[in-house]
Amino acid sequence: MSSPDTPTPAAAGDVVAALGAHRLVPVVVVDGADQGARLADALVAGGLPVAEITLRTAGGIDAIRAVARTQPDVVVGAGTVTTADQVDAVADAGARYVVSPGLSEAVVRRAQHHGLPVLPGVATPTEIMAALDLGLDVVKLFPASVVGGPAAIKAFSAPFPGLRFVPTGGVGAANLGDYLGLAPVLAVGGSWMVDKKLVDAGDWAEVTRRTAEAVALAAEIKES
Ligand SMILES: O=C(O)C(=O)C[C@H](O)[C@H](O)COP(=O)(O)O
């Protein structure tokens, strides 16, 4: 059943376009609403109003809800979503997209039911074909550095033209350009800007510094 809050397909396309415009998806692990809101502030201060808040912690859903309610300009999504029930929970909390470490048909179909863009992790051509069968045209490549990095994206793009990737896992300031320079790469995901140690120490200034550095690098690549 759709409700007045259910995103329309056009809104779902807008979210994917926003991820593609920012080109960076910080993968966030926070303990709850307060940390989530502070982290979102630090990202915004660095020029990046995007956060994928993972469900790796019990407070992840509260953090998504807090950011969605109080910082509507932040494109907040849910990460580490592995079950259809979790999709329901993050949709209720206000997540605007869903990211999964692997490809689960149940997760993808439930996200589609809610009108939410979903980025399942893929690592093989077989998984890519399953994603295409589910009507997807954007996938997460995970863990990107382990499954071949930029070379894997080039190789996968030959048989699957038009498919776009969000490589995640082992991406950082040093290799960002190797990925963002590839046409099939919509955006890159990663935790380096929002390292859990910085979050736990409350070092929001360093989160903002790393974020601003990544935003500047991404802008340079766009212009080159
Ligand atoms: O939590 C999830 O949903 C995942 O799929 C894993 C994360 O995306 C990666 O762990 C981020 O990788 P790093 O940037 O190398 O830390």
Side-chain angles (χ1 to χ4, degrees), residues 27 29 52 54-56 78-82 99-102 121 140 142-143 145 168-172 189-192:
V27 179
V29 179
E52 174 195 328
T54 70
L55 301 192
R56 291 196 217 174
T80 329
V81 176
T82 58
V99 186
S100 192
K140 165 175 166 167
F142 180 74
S145 61
T168 306
V171 182
S191 65
W192 81 98

Side-chain angles (χ1 to χ4, degrees), residues 123-184:
T124 66
T126 304
E127 291 158 5
I128 289 174
M129 288 170 66
L132 294 172
D133 278 347
L134 289 164
L136 302 180
D137 59 7
V138 185
V139 290
K140 165 175 166 167
L141 181 72
F142 180 74
S145 61
V146 176
V147 302
I153 292 172
K154 284 185 204 159
F156 287 151
S157 293
F160 305 113
L163 183 66
R164 286 172 303 166
F165 295 87
V166 181
T168 306
V171 182
N175 61 2
L176 191 57
D178 300 340
Y179 289 100
L180 288 182
L182 302 175

